[in-house]
Amino acid sequence: MSAAEVVDAEGKLVLPGGVDMHVHFSPALVEEGDFWWADDFGSGSRAAAAGGVTTVGNITFPAGDEPVLGALARTTAEAEAVSLADFVLHPVIVAAADDPAALARDLAADGCVSVK
């Protein structure tokens, strides 16, 4: 094998990065009020990485009447701009969908594998 760089880890432990599948890095802008968390994707992903976490799962709320897929697109763009960690998004379904089966198909087609 060959590589551009070889890291000598002799005598050290080499572990995979941790996964935290429940973080709140984007605000919940809901009918009950606006909830801004202590961290966003910038500060939260850096804190995660400092602790060995390389993947986070963000609970993603739509803003107002924003469609769920719109919330995913918006949050993806925000996270891609600043996140140090890999991420997945768990969209929050805050209102009943007119066609739940279509929403499930659309979310799956968009790569979403979980909802809250």
Side-chain angles (χ1 to χ4, degrees):
M1 295 181 103
S2 64
E5 180 182 356
V6 175
V7 176
D8 181 3
E10 186 173 333
K12 306 217 182 319
L13 294 175
V14 179
L15 304 170
V19 177
D20 183 348
M21 292 309 289
H22 188 124
V23 301
H24 293 270
F25 290 163
S26 55
L29 308 174
V30 293
E31 188 175 306
E32 294 82 6
D34 296 350
F35 298 92
W36 294 82
W37 316 113
D39 285 305
D40 58 20
F41 271 100
S43 63
S45 68
R46 281 164 180 70
V53 173
T54 58
T55 303
V56 295
N58 185 67
I59 310 305
T60 302
F61 287 84
D65 292 334
E66 180 180 39
V68 173
L69 291 172
L72 290 173
R74 173 183 48 80
T75 306
T76 296
E78 292 169 359
E80 285 178 342
V82 298
S83 186
L84 188 63
D86 290 333
F87 61 89
V88 298
L89 303 177
H90 307 294
V92 177
I93 309 298
V94 295
D98 291 335
D99 186 348
L103 177 59
R105 283 191 301 273
D106 290 345
L107 288 169
D110 200 42
C112 185
V113 297
S114 68
V115 296
K116 189 158 175 69

